[in-house]
Amino acid sequence: EEEEKEATEEEMDERQMAEERRRIEREERRKREQERRQESEEDRKRDQEVRQKREEEARKRKEEEEGLVQLCLLQKADGSFALDARLAALLGLQLEVLSSWLEEVLSAVDKAVTSADMAATDQEVLKEAYGTLVAVATLRKRYGRERESWELIEAKAMKLLKARGLEARALEAGLACLLPKV
């Protein structure tokens, strides 16, 4: 009887231990499944973030391309760009703000050239050239990566400005003044 009792207790202990092992295994499986689901959810979130980032980059590239095309379409046949509301709008500015920079640019140009050079370049020519300088500065700053797309447009504009009596130093001084603004 004693032996039967001990055997029964041993069997019960073994059953309890087996049940405890099964419970632990179930708990471990549940944890692993939960971790897999969590990893899967994290992967989905990461994939979604990557997709959103790519879509945003594509949208920005498209907007940039459209802006470049619109800016290039503003160039006149002679190579100039008018200082008008369309140019200001492409820059996201009011025409008054864009016009307000003119004196600062003229001052930078004055400092870059000698008085003999300035005598050959009157203020009206400089004012007329201002819209073209703004456009060239915008091409250089905003669309530098697409330089191959607009370098002939810039060349025509710069050729026109030089033909109107603006020295290369004056042009570069005006552009240097505008680049931080556009």
Side-chain angles (χ1 to χ4, degrees), residues 12-27:
M12 286 179 63
D13 285 345
E14 285 178 17
R15 273 189 241 139
Q16 285 177 342
M17 287 174 54
E19 283 180 35
E20 182 64 19
R21 278 193 305 272
R22 285 191 296 273
R23 186 190 65 75
I24 291 171
E25 288 172 357
R26 281 191 307 268
E27 183 65 25

Side-chain angles (χ1 to χ4, degrees), residues 1-172:
E1 220 174 276
E2 220 24 69
E3 286 180 16
E4 282 181 28
K5 191 176 178 183
E6 280 182 23
T8 305
E9 285 179 6
E10 282 180 19
E11 286 176 13
M12 286 179 63
D13 285 345
E14 285 178 17
R15 273 189 241 139
Q16 285 177 342
M17 287 174 54
E19 283 180 35
E20 182 64 19
R21 278 193 305 272
R22 285 191 296 273
R23 186 190 65 75
I24 291 171
E25 288 172 357
R26 281 191 307 268
E27 183 65 25
E28 287 175 353
R29 278 194 304 269
R30 187 188 63 77
K31 284 181 181 178
R32 283 192 304 269
E33 184 60 34
Q34 186 177 14
E35 287 171 356
R36 276 193 291 263
R37 277 190 297 244
Q38 187 175 3
E39 288 172 358
S40 179
E41 182 63 28
E42 289 171 359
D43 288 344
R44 276 192 292 275
K45 285 180 182 179
R46 204 173 309 115
D47 289 346
Q48 183 179 6
E49 288 172 1
V50 168
R51 242 187 335 276
Q52 287 173 343
K53 185 177 179 181
R54 286 181 182 157
E55 288 169 1
E56 179 66 17
E57 288 171 353
R59 185 189 60 75
K60 284 181 182 179
R61 276 193 308 274
K62 185 176 179 182
E63 285 177 5
E64 191 173 282
E65 288 170 5
E66 288 173 7
L68 175 58
V69 168
Q70 292 303 313
L71 181 59
C72 292
L73 289 174
L74 291 180
Q75 189 175 40
K76 296 178 183 178
D78 67 357
S80 67
F81 289 82
L83 179 62
D84 61 14
R86 294 179 305 164
L87 180 59
L90 277 172
L91 297 173
L93 299 169
Q94 296 293 321
L95 183 56
E96 295 77 25
V97 172
L98 194 55
S99 296
S100 72
W101 298 343
L102 178 58
E103 289 306 315
E104 187 178 344
V105 172
L106 289 177
S107 175
V109 168
D110 281 342
K111 290 176 186 171
V113 295
T114 65
S115 55
D117 291 332
M118 263 333 262
T121 308
D122 79 19
Q123 294 293 316
E124 287 307 310
V125 171
L126 291 173
K127 287 179 183 177
E128 184 181 38
Y130 178 62
T132 304
L133 280 174
V134 169
V136 170
T138 302
L139 288 170
R140 288 182 179 184
K141 183 165 183 182
R142 293 190 181 181
Y143 307 108
R145 291 189 318 237
E146 290 87 21
R147 185 169 183 85
E148 291 178 0
S149 300
W150 53 262
E151 63 188 350
L152 294 176
I153 290 168
E154 178 193 39
K156 185 174 184 177
M158 297 300 273
K159 182 178 178 182
L160 170 81
L161 294 175
K162 288 175 184 172
R164 290 190 178 166
L166 289 169
E167 296 289 324
R169 286 177 297 167
L171 294 173
E172 291 305 320

